[in-house]
Amino acid sequence: MASNSTSPTISTTSSSGNSEEDLQQKMDERRQKRMLSNRESARRSRMRKQKHLDDLMAQVTLLRNENNQILSRMHVTTQHYLSLEAENATLRAQIMELTARLQSLTEMLGYMQDLSGFCMDPVEQYPDPLLRPWDVPLMNQPITASADIFQY
């Protein structure tokens, strides 16, 4: 009887040990599955992160190219502007010089007229202001047009 009582205890222990082993094995399987799942999730996350980084790098390249193009166009425009400013300054200086010459010539005509008594006044000679291009005030007046002149 004593052997019967120890035998069921051993079998209980072995069945309980077996169930503990099964439980441990199931836990190990779950842990392995979880580790594999976590590894796969981490791999997908790294791939998404790499793709996002690649997309950002491509966008940086595009934006840098666009920025370089804009800077190049701005440089060309600035050079054109400076060229026009220099040309305008030259033209303004020429206007001043020609205006001074015209004034000097007008004074000389006045002196000659006083000496000779002959009328050399360009205003009397050319009464129409459009025929007097040397008359500087006309150059400052804007040219105006209305839409009616384009109708037939």
Side-chain angles (χ1 to χ4, degrees):
M1 283 210 161
S3 66
N4 278 346
S5 69
T6 43
S7 185
T9 318
I10 292 174
S11 73
T12 312
T13 309
S14 7
S15 72
S16 119
N18 208 6
S19 98
E20 283 179 20
E21 285 177 12
D22 288 344
L23 183 61
Q24 185 65 33
Q25 187 178 4
K26 284 182 182 179
M27 286 175 58
D28 287 344
E29 286 176 13
R30 285 181 185 162
R31 188 166 21 106
Q32 282 293 96
K33 277 184 171 180
R34 207 169 41 245
M35 282 176 52
L36 285 174
S37 174
N38 287 347
R39 283 183 187 154
E40 183 63 24
S41 177
R43 186 184 67 80
R44 286 192 309 265
S45 176
R46 285 190 302 273
M47 287 176 62
R48 277 193 310 271
K49 189 176 182 180
Q50 185 63 44
K51 183 183 180 318
H52 184 65
L53 183 64
D54 292 344
D55 291 345
L56 288 176
M57 292 302 289
Q59 187 177 8
V60 164
T61 302
L62 287 174
L63 290 174
R64 282 186 177 157
N65 288 340
E66 184 179 341
N67 193 27
N68 287 337
Q69 289 175 355
I70 289 170
L71 287 174
S72 176
R73 286 191 306 238
M74 188 177 78
H75 179 70
V76 167
T77 303
T78 302
Q79 291 301 317
H80 187 66
Y81 168 77
L82 292 174
S83 170
L84 289 175
E85 272 295 314
E87 186 179 349
N88 280 344
T90 303
L91 291 173
R92 284 187 198 105
Q94 287 177 351
I95 286 174
M96 302 265 302
E97 180 183 344
L98 291 173
T99 303
R101 282 185 185 179
L102 180 62
Q103 186 177 4
S104 176
L105 288 173
T106 305
E107 287 176 10
M108 289 173 63
L109 281 174
Y111 292 137
M112 292 174 80
Q113 181 182 1
D114 289 343
L115 291 175
S116 68
F118 182 70
C119 179
M120 294 185 197
D121 189 9
V123 175
E124 291 178 12
Q125 193 174 2
Y126 301 106
D128 187 5
L130 294 177
L131 296 175
R132 295 189 317 260
W134 58 85
D135 205 0
V136 178
L138 287 178
M139 296 174 77
N140 294 334
Q141 294 179 358
I143 299 173
T144 57
S146 66
D148 297 337
I149 64 171
F150 298 113
Q151 295 177 351
Y152 294 93

